[in-house]
Amino acid sequence: DSVIGMRDVIVMLGIDTNFLDVSRLELTNGFYDQAAKKIIWKASDIPALAQLEPGQAGEIIFTIPVVKEFPAGSNPKNIVIRSMATIDSPDVKTTLTGNKTIASNLLQLKVGALVGLQITPYFTGSAFQNSGPVPPVVGSETTYTLKTKVSSSSNDLTQARIRFVMPSGVVYKGVSSPSGETVEYNERTNELIWQIGVLAAGKEKQFEFQVGITPNASQVNKDVELMRAATFTAKESFTQKEVKTEKQAVTNFLQDDKGVTDQSGVVKNP
């Protein structure tokens, strides 16, 4: 808001385009000047800018997402997006000794980390020797490996962990890789927790564990759910905010396992 009246106001906001995706800018009114890297609003966009009375306040809303991939050569750690808004009016100069532009304080926004979480079932090509029929058969055990990859885009994460929830028909075989990782298994809830600890910015960690299933007649002609859900939680060292990412159900369909001739997870009769 202003302590003086102003007419024919022009509002400009400089955009830090290094880490913002301007191609996905959502702007109801106004215009983005790509050469100047500024969003500009005039009275033709917002009629109230034609005359601002003393003490009058308002807001301008727009959205612009952070880029999905950071530019080459940039330092993706602890990113701060900076912008500066300015207000221009021909009436300002009569009050502020010739300076007709009012600048806001510098706005600095800390960018939170984007966490990548991928969980994929394998029968071959894993840390463990799996066994049993593929596709699975009623009454016979088939074991699988669930491979997990987790990464942080831009900030160091602490207290990181993943909680894997498995259906009651899935048996954790008691083995995981790499060795030395902190793993907790609750047989009563069929939950496995991988205590990751620190996940550094721009780095990826991998984890594998083995499960087994013995299908019954009610599962014939259906895929088998190996994992009901997985939840990643951590705390950002830069923004001091909690981070949470969830992964939904994973079945025994071996879409990424090129070592099997039949990738189907559909249960067969003996």
Side-chain angles (χ1 to χ4, degrees), residues 174-186:
V175 290
S176 62
S177 178
S179 61
E181 294 293 312
T182 301
V183 178
E184 303 168 10
Y185 175 62
N186 186 330

Side-chain angles (χ1 to χ4, degrees), residues 2 11-14 47 60 68 84 88 96 103 110 135 147 150 183 204 208 214 217 224 237 239 243 258:
S2 172
V11 179
M12 292 175 285
L13 179 70
I60 299 174
K68 293 182 178 180
M84 176 75 79
D88 182 286
L96 300 182
K110 293 182 177 180
K147 289 187 177 183
V150 61
V183 178
E204 178 183 88
E208 304 179 25
T214 304
V224 179
S237 57
T239 66
V243 179
K258 307 305 180 184

Side-chain angles (χ1 to χ4, degrees), residues 123 130-144 212-215 224 252 254 260-270:
F123 184 78
N130 288 302
S131 60
V134 176
V137 174
V138 170
S140 298
E141 184 184 55
T142 299
T143 62
Y144 297 89
I213 59 169
T214 304
V224 179
N252 64 332
L254 303 171
V260 294
T261 55
D262 190 342
Q263 296 174 319
S264 172
V266 175
V267 175
K268 309 293 184 184
N269 277 311

Side-chain angles (χ1 to χ4, degrees), residues 112-143:
L114 177 65
V115 175
L117 178 60
Q118 180 181 0
I119 303 172
T120 311
Y122 282 85
F123 184 78
T124 67
S126 72
F128 315 111
Q129 183 69 42
N130 288 302
S131 60
V134 176
V137 174
V138 170
S140 298
E141 184 184 55
T142 299
T143 62

